[in-house]
Amino acid sequence: MTDAPLMIVKDLVKEFPHKRAGGRSETMRAVNGVSFHIRRGETLALVGESGSGKTTLARAAAMLHPPTSGSVVFEGREIATLKRRSLKGARKRMQMIFQDPYASLNPRLPVSAIIAEPLAIHSLGNRAERRAEALRLAQSVGLKAQDLDRYPHQFSGGQRQRIAIARALALKPALIFADEPVSALDVSIQSQILNLLRDLREEYGPAFLFIGHDLAVVRHFADRVAVMYMGRIVEEAASETLFNTPRHPYARALIAAAPRIGQGKRAPGAMRGAARDIPSPFDPPPGCPFHPRCPMAEDICKTTPPELELVEPGHQAACHFT
Ligand code: SF4
């Protein structure tokens, strides 16, 4: 792993227009001025409750939903301002693995064509070479040669995710966006797929932007973790630092609320202070957006938004009282 960042995201904003009943237009800011970087070969995880902006941020950084404003530098090149056609080169180096493998696989194509599809899109190799590469990739994710001629509906969820992973690896990407890649799978299959991703990370060396809600999984898979709340990163640190010494009250509540590994139970009193619903993203609270739920909130929190600042080397948090 080198120190040169593979991707540098700065002040990224993603807004969605919305029409209310009665015709009034409003804007929902799903990602609100987010900055982060990913180094080569590194895994950065995004965590937070549903609706915190994790998936929107990943899709904006991957240019699947072009950002409203901000900068995304990938392999030294600004891609946020590129037109669709000019993005093809960057897209080749970034791949996605989605939560629902069935929805992301074309049901009419055999596995050989699905895995080789990225090679065909980028006109790499002839048909026989692409099939040979599809076989190699299929075997590297634990599928068999005879699986190449079968169709997605003939596989279990775990096997379908293996197909999706093989397809994501076809172009030897530098960065893989993995959006909850195991959360739709049975618990027994989840660890198999995570072990596979870990092995492939060792073998092929891609960086990951990994979205997860299971903090036990995130803790063991990620090098660094960024905690999102209402479209912003509120804390970011190396994985062990964040899980051992979280500084932001929201991160602390999130970790305390996570079922303990191997026990399936929440810590007593977890999320007590943060149990109220997330405020509407159409009408975010002034000041610190977490203040209506925060057990530590003071008057300043209601008026002044805290900046994301270093609390120690490599550890940032956005709270007036860290
Ligand atoms: Fe809580 Fe205030 Fe810190 Fe926000 S700034 S997390 S409201 S203590």
Side-chain angles (χ1 to χ4, degrees), residues 248-249 288 290-291 294 296-297 301 306 319-321:
H248 193 283
C288 173
F290 189 55
H291 86 255
C294 182
M296 288 173 56
C301 306
C319 173
H320 294 304
F321 302 107

Side-chain angles (χ1 to χ4, degrees), residues 9-311:
V9 171
K10 218 164 171 205
D11 299 328
L12 199 79
V13 171
K14 180 65 189 176
E15 294 177 336
F16 294 101
H18 176 75
K19 268 218 173 7
R20 279 210 160 166
R24 193 161 65 85
S25 296
E26 57 187 1
T27 300
M28 198 261 276
R29 187 168 273 211
V31 175
N32 192 357
V34 167
S35 302
F36 66 88
H37 68 273
I38 305 177
R39 299 185 198 97
R40 286 184 188 276
E42 180 183 47
T43 296
L44 173 67
L46 298 177
V47 301
E49 292 161 290
S50 298
S52 59
K54 308 180 297 286
T55 293
T56 308
L57 172 58
R59 285 172 177 252
M63 296 295 125
L64 292 176
H65 295 158
T68 306
S69 64
S71 161
V72 180
V73 173
F74 178 65
E75 297 198 306
R77 187 176 180 216
E78 176 62 67
I79 59 171
T81 51
L82 290 181
K83 296 267 180 286
R84 206 181 169 87
R85 200 181 306 161
S86 314
L87 276 170
K88 203 173 172 190
R91 286 245 168 82
K92 196 173 156 192
R93 304 278 296 148
M94 295 190 272
Q95 295 293 311
M96 300 280 306
I97 301 171
F98 297 97
Q99 180 178 358
D100 179 357
Y102 196 53
S104 71
L105 303 177
N106 186 335
R108 287 189 292 259
L109 291 181
V111 168
S112 57
I114 289 172
I115 296 177
E117 196 176 23
L119 301 170
I121 289 170
H122 291 274
S123 307
L124 297 172
N126 58 34
R127 187 178 285 228
E129 287 166 340
R130 290 199 289 268
R131 185 169 170 99
E133 182 61 4
L135 173 60
R136 193 189 66 76
L137 288 161
Q139 289 174 331
S140 78
V141 299
L143 297 170
K144 298 191 176 71
Q146 57 266 36
D147 291 332
L148 285 186
D149 297 316
R150 299 169 72 203
Y151 290 80
H153 72 271
Q154 296 175 284
F155 292 88
S156 66
Q159 286 174 313
R160 286 199 282 261
Q161 197 58 296
R162 288 176 191 269
I163 298 166
I165 292 167
R167 179 181 58 184
L169 291 170
L171 294 169
K172 302 184 176 59
L175 177 59
I176 294 178
F177 294 85
D179 189 355
E180 306 256 14
V182 295
S183 49
L185 306 176
D186 289 346
V187 174
S188 57
I189 307 296
Q190 288 186 4
S191 57
Q192 290 176 20
I193 297 296
L194 284 166
N195 287 338
L196 172 66
L197 287 173
R198 216 174 272 130
D199 291 347
L200 295 171
R201 188 171 59 180
E202 294 290 309
E203 189 179 340
Y204 294 92
F208 278 87
L209 183 63
F210 184 92
I211 298 173
H213 72 268
D214 183 333
L215 297 187
V217 165
V218 167
R219 182 173 195 162
H220 288 100
F221 194 73
D223 299 305
R224 275 189 302 130
V225 179
V227 181
M228 286 194 73
Y229 185 74
M230 293 198 76
R232 302 167 201 242
I233 291 177
V234 297
E235 183 157 2
E236 192 233 292
S239 181
E240 280 311 298
T241 305
L242 190 116
F243 284 103
N244 288 330
T245 52
R247 304 289 283 264
H248 193 283
Y250 176 64
R252 288 207 285 259
L254 209 57
I255 291 167
R260 295 191 180 163
I261 303 166
Q263 294 180 16
K265 286 187 198 148
R266 295 182 168 190
M271 272 310 234
R272 190 179 289 144
R276 278 163 277 172
D277 292 339
I278 304 183
S280 165
F282 290 102
D283 187 20
C288 173
F290 189 55
H291 86 255
R293 306 172 75 193
C294 182
M296 288 173 56
E298 304 271 347
D299 284 348
I300 186 178
C301 306
K302 297 174 187 161
T303 55
T304 311
E307 298 289 326
L308 187 64
E309 289 175 341
L310 271 186
V311 291

